[in-house]
């Protein structure tokens, strides 16, 4: 069994990006810039934002936090996004979700300049993904593809069952698998006989947010399991897969933590450097 080490792989990606930024920044007179908007005090979001800021610092991306109170109005949030759209030192804009109740996240996401949409959530980015055109890709599924590639796991011709159909993970994951010539199957809470679908899969991406949902009897011998889930339980952090029970049956699997999570952040950095390159013409 191969443990797909997202932590180590993300470290390698950061080192590569750092070298890239060190070469590009002096040539173009500035480092890449990422604006991070955090509204309210959601503890999990605060941790995510802090991790993203640390990762940026690590590779030489200037991350500028914009922390707003939970009672910020839609109007003020939109004004900030417009300001960042117009700011030439900002290559990427990240709006940390979820937003506090009362704020319209879809409206805000659509307001972000598509050229700065490093999270890949703008309808233009999603459209480009669907059409197979270059563009920003949603960080979690793109991080999964990057991890597979770095471990020489080629999805071509494989049946890939994705559990979960969210706009940020499940749906874009299926399109990215399709682009790599896999045969994706998206499953969800209304899927009949999900276990049978999973047993038939060469690759399973579990992204539903239910602790230890994927059990050994649902997994084919030799399958690859990618666990996107992050669940906080009394026993600590755990994924959507029953890792201990499944690990001896599979050919490769991601741990939680240390699997998809670090790859998601690494992909944000990749996207930010991509945006920077487009803005400075590198
Ligand atoms: P989400 O928006 O809540 O979507 C969950 C999806 O799972 C839905 O499509 C839902 O189906 C499906 N689902 C729920 N229960 C199910 C069941 N019993 N059987 C089959 N399908 C079921 O979640 P998300 O944002 O995609 O996130 C999923 C998980 O990944 C969460 O644990 C989240 O914390 C984690 N995550 C991790 C990262 C990372 O960086 N590692 C990034 C993003 C998310 P319906 O559509 O039918 O309701």
């Amino acid at each position: 069994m191969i443990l797909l080490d997202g932590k180590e792989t993300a470290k390698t990606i950061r080192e590569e990006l750092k070298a890239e930024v060190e070469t590009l920044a002096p040539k173009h007179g500035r480092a890449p810039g990422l604006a991070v908007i955090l509204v309210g005090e959601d503890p999990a979001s605060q941790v995510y934002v802090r991790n993203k800021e640390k990762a940026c610092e690590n590779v030489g991306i200037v991350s500028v936090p914009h922390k707003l109170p939970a009672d910020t109005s839609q109007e003020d949030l939109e004004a900030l996004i417009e300001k960042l759209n117009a700011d030439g030192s900002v290559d990427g804009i990240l709006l940390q979700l979820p937003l506090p109740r009362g704020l319209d996240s879809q409206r805000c996401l659509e307001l972000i300049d598509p050229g700065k949409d490093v999270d890949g959530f703008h309808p233009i980015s999603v459209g480009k993904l669907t059409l197979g055109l270059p563009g920003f890709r949603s960080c979690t599924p793109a991080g999964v593809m990057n991890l597979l590639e770095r471990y020489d796991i080629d999805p071509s011709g494989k049946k890939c069952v994705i559990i979960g159909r969210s706009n940020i993970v499940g749906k874009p994951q299926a399109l990215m698998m399709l682009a790599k010539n896999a045969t994706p199957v998206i499953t969800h809470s209304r899927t009949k006989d999900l276990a049978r679908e999973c047993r038939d899969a060469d690759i399973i991406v579990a992204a539903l947010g239910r602790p230890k949902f994927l059990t050994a009897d649902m997994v084919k011998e030799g399958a690859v399991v990618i666990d996107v889930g992050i669940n906080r339980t009394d026993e600590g952090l755990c994924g959507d897969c029953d890792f201990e029970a499944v690990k001896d049956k599979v050919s490769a699997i991601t741990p939680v933590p240390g699997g998809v999570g670090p790859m998601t952040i690494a992909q944000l950095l990749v996207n930010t450097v991509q945006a920077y390159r487009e803005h400075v013409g590198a």
Side-chain angles (χ1 to χ4, degrees):
M1 182 272 288
I2 299 167
L3 190 71
L4 302 170
D5 189 337
K7 198 172 168 196
E8 263 313 297
T9 310
K11 192 171 160 223
T12 307
I13 294 171
R14 285 198 303 273
E15 281 160 6
E16 291 167 4
L17 288 173
K18 186 169 189 246
E20 208 179 322
V21 170
E22 272 169 4
T23 313
L24 289 172
K27 242 194 256 174
H28 297 281
R30 67 173 182 88
L34 176 70
V36 181
I37 308 173
L38 175 62
V39 190
E41 320 245 296
D42 177 56
S45 292
Q46 284 177 331
V47 174
Y48 292 143
V49 164
R50 206 174 320 125
N51 288 342
K52 288 169 189 174
E53 283 172 352
K54 251 195 277 169
C56 280
E57 219 172 278
N58 223 281
V59 305
I61 294 172
V62 178
S63 100
V64 183
H66 296 267
K67 295 188 177 153
L68 305 178
D71 62 358
T72 299
S73 67
Q74 179 77 23
E75 207 180 18
D76 286 352
L77 182 53
E78 289 186 14
L80 173 62
I81 294 171
E82 302 268 27
K83 194 175 122 208
L84 297 171
N85 281 344
D87 186 336
S89 69
V90 173
D91 297 295
I93 302 172
L94 184 151
L95 177 63
Q96 185 65 42
L97 300 177
L99 293 178
R101 213 180 266 274
L103 291 172
D104 184 343
S105 52
Q106 191 57 34
R107 213 181 129 101
C108 291
L109 291 176
E110 289 185 24
L111 201 63
I112 293 174
D113 175 348
K116 298 187 177 187
D117 176 36
V118 288
D119 251 338
F121 294 162
H122 194 285
I124 288 190
S125 303
V126 179
K128 286 183 172 173
L129 167 64
T130 309
L131 294 171
L133 298 172
F136 296 113
R137 303 297 194 233
S138 179
C139 295
T140 300
V144 168
M145 299 313 286
N146 201 337
L147 188 62
L148 290 176
E149 196 179 325
R150 286 183 186 247
Y151 277 89
D152 286 325
I153 297 173
D154 182 3
S156 179
K158 308 233 166 85
K159 175 170 171 176
C160 174
V161 169
I162 296 145
I163 315 176
R165 58 173 161 180
S166 71
N167 289 333
I168 63 165
V169 189
K171 275 190 226 167
Q173 188 74 77
L175 289 163
M176 288 179 208
M177 286 289 178
L178 189 61
K180 288 288 176 193
N181 300 313
T183 303
V185 174
I186 308 184
T187 64
H188 46 80
S189 67
R190 309 281 180 94
T191 298
K192 275 189 195 153
D193 210 347
L194 179 63
R196 190 175 53 110
E197 292 292 346
C198 289
R199 271 195 296 273
D200 200 29
D202 304 303
I203 302 174
I204 300 174
V205 180
L208 69 157
R210 302 279 180 274
K212 300 186 182 177
F213 177 87
L214 190 74
T215 47
D217 60 306
M218 295 167 79
V219 178
K220 178 168 85 175
E221 200 79 45
V224 172
V225 171
I226 305 291
D227 192 348
V228 177
I230 301 176
N231 306 293
R232 284 170 182 82
T233 68
D234 294 342
E235 299 140 42
L237 214 62
C238 96
D240 288 347
C241 173
D242 185 354
F243 183 88
E244 282 308 316
V246 167
K247 72 178 195 322
D248 297 324
K249 216 175 165 184
V250 295
S251 60
I253 186 167
T254 59
V256 176
V260 177
M263 290 303 293
T264 297
I265 298 184
Q267 192 61 41
L268 172 71
L269 307 177
V270 169
N271 287 358
T272 304
V273 173
Q274 180 190 330
Y276 168 75
R277 277 184 174 277
E278 282 163 20
H279 293 149
V280 299

